[in-house]
Amino acid sequence: FKANGCRMSDHGPDNIYFPSELKEMSRPQVLVKMTQLLERARNATGGAGLTDDEVRFFKAVIQQDLCRLNAKMGWTQQLHVG
């Protein structure tokens, strides 16, 4: 993608999330929680899955990581929220 001249990342999140617990967590703590959430989601059966708060946490971490990666590459990031 970058090798072909791309310098912009385009995302369409349903909302921008930033759970209060996230700003209190260290990066290692975030990674542990994300691993736990992924494991629970993979093993969910019978309609059991992640709570709405856990989904928002997961989305917030993904959004932040994408922002960091785009900034590191010097890319513009465009968001179409909603």
Side-chain angles (χ1 to χ4, degrees), residues 66-81:
L66 288 171
C67 289
R68 284 186 185 105
L69 287 171
N70 288 325
K72 184 177 180 178
M73 292 187 298
W75 287 17
T76 298
Q77 180 168 317
Q78 183 172 334
L79 300 175
H80 303 278
V81 181

Side-chain angles (χ1 to χ4, degrees), residues 19-32:
S20 59
E21 70 176 301
L22 184 54
K23 65 180 162 183
E24 305 298 327
M25 297 174 78
S26 67
R27 186 65 181 167
Q29 290 171 319
V30 170
L31 294 176
V32 166

Side-chain angles (χ1 to χ4, degrees), residues 23-79:
K23 65 180 162 183
E24 305 298 327
M25 297 174 78
S26 67
R27 186 65 181 167
Q29 290 171 319
V30 170
L31 294 176
V32 166
K33 182 164 182 172
M34 288 294 283
T35 301
Q36 292 168 344
L37 292 177
L38 284 169
E39 191 63 29
R40 281 199 28 240
R42 278 192 205 112
N43 295 325
T45 57
L50 302 179
T51 67
D52 289 343
D53 285 342
E54 290 170 330
V55 170
R56 283 188 287 273
F57 180 90
F58 187 88
K59 287 180 177 183
V61 172
I62 296 299
Q63 289 170 353
Q64 283 187 344
D65 285 354
L66 288 171
C67 289
R68 284 186 185 105
L69 287 171
N70 288 325
K72 184 177 180 178
M73 292 187 298
W75 287 17
T76 298
Q77 180 168 317
Q78 183 172 334
L79 300 175

